[in-house]
Amino acid sequence: MRVPTISRVEVYPVELPITRTFVFASGSAGEAGAGARLVFVRVLDEEGRYGWGECRPMPGWSYETLETVVTTLRRHLIPAVVGTPASDLAGLHARMHAAIGRGPSTGQPIARSALDMAVHDLLARALGLPLRALLGGSPRPASVALSYTVTAASPEAAAQEVSAARAKGFEHFNFKVGVHPETDVQVARAIREAAGPEAFVWADANQGLAVERAARVAEGLAEAGVDVLEQPFAADKPHLMRAFRGRCPLPLAVDEASVSPSDFLLYASEGLVDYLVVKVTRSGGLWPSIAQVHIAQAFGLPLLISGLTDSMLTKMAACQLGAAFGCQGPAALNGSQFIDDSALFPTKAQVEHDGRVWLPELPGVGTEPDIDTLRSLEIKEV
């Protein structure tokens, strides 16, 4: 087989309907009735073979926006990588790094992630392998358990939400703390009681806990049966995590603070975290995410999977990565709860149901957007 070489890259900024409002401590993923803005990328080789990638820039979570992602791709990253063999993943990232360097961490990781994903998809398709097999896992069908995101602010509503989600097949649950701090602990208790003792219950602070009350909140969450507390403090303040570590009765994880492998290495080497939260878009793509996974393995840390309320494409790619390294979830990949991507992925019900993502033996990521629908949704003025 001739190794595919990147010859052309297409960029499609689109807007999908938001079906439910989703608010977290540092911002929002959008309000019901508004539009979720995503960027899809298709990488083609000289023979017309292709691969798909996607990212969702959210200004409330990151400094990247739809406009910066599109211009970074078109003006800097794509010109840098055209001509690169798809198998040269290290070279791909070296070229992207030369075009857009780093600041305190990886430069423009969300824009990079879409290109990285598309190249992985192209290479896996060309080889006839499911993405998880390309990454070193088994090609056999696999599944990854999803974690349902509870948005209710009262314990009563949270219990009802969990019960309804369990009826749909969800076994694990995550929720945001710091949005309604007065009810955080009560909501946690209601979720644990409704979810049962076997559920993994995951509290995400999104940098939103005040230092003076963090220990008290953590004690309440631990008593309520929460399994992990994620990113209690601002990403650029690791000293707060150091001071908090000995006072926190809960296992800890970071998200916004762990963009590059070296970021995660800092937290792991100092013993500040108990999990790696795998987040492909945040980390600049699959290639650097794998480096983070290897660091976690070296420190004996288990994996969780998370996302940016993405579409089905990123969900499948993240689950493929998890499956390659034996992670069966939970995966807080909640795009289907908050955005409607069914027109783009008309067969998604075949691979996402009963609270799980079911990974087929198809080559590549395992799904792709309908190109005609994608073009009809394209935002032209960017």
Side-chain angles (χ1 to χ4, degrees):
M1 184 207 75
R2 186 176 178 183
V3 175
T5 296
I6 301 169
S7 64
R8 182 161 58 95
V9 183
E10 301 168 347
V11 180
Y12 298 93
V14 303
E15 190 168 86
L16 298 177
I18 295 175
T19 56
R20 289 177 60 195
T21 299
F22 182 27
V23 177
F24 41 88
S26 60
S28 170
E31 297 184 2
R37 306 181 108 196
L38 300 90
V39 179
F40 287 84
V41 166
R42 184 165 72 157
V43 171
L44 298 98
D45 74 356
E46 66 282 358
E47 297 180 15
R49 295 174 293 189
Y50 61 85
W52 282 101
E54 171 220 348
C55 66
R56 187 180 177 201
M58 291 194 302
W61 188 90
S62 164
Y63 60 82
E64 290 180 80
T65 67
L66 182 89
E67 294 80 8
T68 66
V69 166
V70 171
T71 56
T72 296
L73 284 167
R74 287 176 174 166
R75 298 181 185 179
H76 302 282
L77 298 180
I78 292 171
V81 304
V82 167
T84 303
S87 59
D88 185 8
L89 296 167
L92 173 79
H93 280 270
R95 291 189 180 199
M96 288 197 289
H97 180 72
I100 297 289
R102 62 178 293 142
S105 189
T106 306
Q108 304 292 331
I110 294 175
R112 294 188 197 205
S113 69
L115 200 48
D116 166 280
M117 188 189 304
V119 173
H120 275 85
D121 189 34
L122 168 62
L123 183 58
R125 285 171 181 261
L127 293 171
L129 294 172
L131 178 60
R132 61 188 176 278
L134 177 70
L135 301 180
S138 169
R140 292 192 298 271
S143 70
V144 174
L146 294 172
S147 177
Y148 184 93
T149 299
V150 179
T151 60
S154 72
E156 297 78 15
Q160 292 173 1
E161 196 173 347
V162 170
S163 296
R166 289 188 68 193
K168 295 178 180 178
F170 288 93
E171 300 174 353
H172 308 290
F173 299 87
N174 63 89
F175 67 105
K176 303 297 183 180
V177 298
V179 181
H180 304 284
E182 66 281 0
T183 61
D184 282 343
V185 174
Q186 296 95 312
V187 165
R189 290 196 192 101
I191 292 172
R192 170 53 74 193
E193 183 174 345
E198 301 303 317
F200 190 94
V201 178
W202 178 352
D204 185 1
N206 288 111
Q207 311 179 76
L209 286 187
V211 175
E212 61 273 11
R213 66 183 298 270
R216 185 170 68 254
V217 170
E219 288 174 4
L221 295 177
E223 291 172 0
V226 170
D227 291 293
V228 65
L229 174 60
E230 179 182 348
Q231 198 65 59
F233 307 119
D236 61 348
K237 293 180 170 55
H239 64 284
L240 295 181
M241 284 285 281
R242 295 186 188 102
F244 183 56
R245 178 62 164 172
R247 304 171 59 202
C248 183
L250 277 170
L252 286 169
V254 289
D255 179 359
E256 293 91 337
S258 181
V259 176
S260 72
S262 59
D263 293 333
F264 184 69
L265 177 61
L266 169 68
Y267 283 89
S269 62
E270 293 193 29
L272 299 178
V273 290
D274 301 284
Y275 289 88
L276 166 64
V277 178
V278 177
K279 200 166 198 168
V280 172
T281 303
R282 171 205 68 202
S283 301
L286 293 156
W287 180 259
S289 294
I290 291 170
Q292 291 189 11
V293 170
H294 288 315
I295 293 169
Q297 289 179 326
F299 283 93
L301 301 178
L303 310 181
L304 299 171
I305 303 171
S306 181
L308 284 172
T309 318
D310 322 88
S311 89
M312 197 66 204
L313 191 65
T314 295
K315 180 179 294 184
M316 289 286 285
C319 288
Q320 294 273 13
L321 174 60
F325 289 92
C327 177
Q328 299 178 349
L333 299 167
N334 56 18
S336 296
Q337 290 184 236
F338 302 103
I339 64 174
D340 183 4
D341 61 354
S342 57
L344 271 182
F345 301 95
T347 62
K348 68 177 288 184
Q350 298 174 16
V351 293
E352 183 186 359
H353 56 85
D354 299 322
R356 304 183 78 87
V357 170
W358 304 85
L359 300 173
E361 292 184 274
L362 296 173
V365 169
T367 191
E368 64 179 271
D370 179 80
I371 187 66
D372 293 329
T373 304
L374 190 68
R375 287 170 174 157
S376 72
L377 295 172
E378 187 175 359
I379 302 171
K380 302 295 185 182
E381 67 270 18
V382 180

